[in-house]
Amino acid sequence: MNDAKVIQKFKDTGALLEGHFLLSSGLHSSVYLQCAIAFQNTKDAVEFGGAIAAHFKQDSIDTVASPAIGGLVIGYEVARQLGVRFIWTERESGSMTLRRGFTVREGERVLVVEDVITTGGSTRDTIEALRSAGADVIAAASIIDRSDGQADVGVPRFSLATLRVPALSPEECAACQRGDVAIKPGSRSLTSGAQR
Ligand code: ZN
C-alpha cells in the first residue's frame, strides 16, 4: 500500500475532508482527518493493518500496544495479522497508563501503533508507560504522518503515508484572507456524509 493509495482511500471514504478547517489547536488547515470514518469498512482496516504488519514481520514483535481511543482499531488489526497479543494504554488523570490488568514482562518486544501521528504526543506517552512497566519498545507506526516526518518519538517510526499540509494561524491563512469562514470539523453545519 503506497502513500498515494492510502490518501486516496481516505478521500474515497470521506475520512479526509478538504476545505477550510478550524482545528482544535485554533490553527487553520485545508485538510481534516476523521480516521474512524476510514475504519467503518472492516476490509479497509484489514488492508491498513496488513500493510503495517508486513513492515514488522521480521522484527519478532511480542505485543502491539496502542493509545486509546484512536489507536484501538488499527492496533488490534496489526496485532491480529502479526499473530500477537494486543493491549492498550489510556489516560488516567492526564497521564498515559496501562490499566485493566494489562501487564508486560521485562524485555517484552512491543510495537506501538497509532492511527495518525501529529505531534507524536500520544505515542511518546504510550512508549513511556510501556518502558516504565519493563517493556522494550522496538518501534512505532501509524497509518498517516501529518508531522511531515518531524515527530520524534525516540524509537524508529514507520507510516503508510505522509500528509504535507500546514496548519496556519488565521493571520497567515490564505483562505481567511479571501474572506472564507473556517469550519469546525464535527459541527453539524458540515453536511458531508462523513459526519453521520
Ligand atoms: Zn483560515
Side-chain angles (χ1 to χ4, degrees), residues 20 28 170 173 175-176 180 182:
H20 179 203
H28 290 193
C173 177
C176 280
D180 288 352

Side-chain angles (χ1 to χ4, degrees), residues 145-162:
D145 174 6
R146 61 174 310 173
S147 80
D148 199 7
Q150 298 305 302
D152 181 2
V153 298
V155 295
R157 202 162 63 70
F158 170 72
S159 289
L160 294 182
T162 299

Side-chain angles (χ1 to χ4, degrees), residues 63-66 68 72 76 85-90 97-105 108 129-130 133:
T63 297
V64 172
S66 297
L72 291 183
Y76 185 91
R85 194 163 78 95
F86 174 67
I87 59 176
W88 70 85
T89 59
E90 54 203 305
T97 44
L98 277 173
R99 296 179 64 196
R100 299 168 197 275
F102 287 144
T103 56
V104 288
R105 61 181 159 70
E108 186 165 336
L130 291 161

Side-chain angles (χ1 to χ4, degrees), residues 35-36 39 66-75 89 113-116 122 143:
C35 273
F39 305 143
S66 297
I69 294 174
L72 291 183
V73 173
I74 187 62
T89 59
V113 175
E114 202 175 3
D115 51 359
V116 176
S122 299
I143 299 173

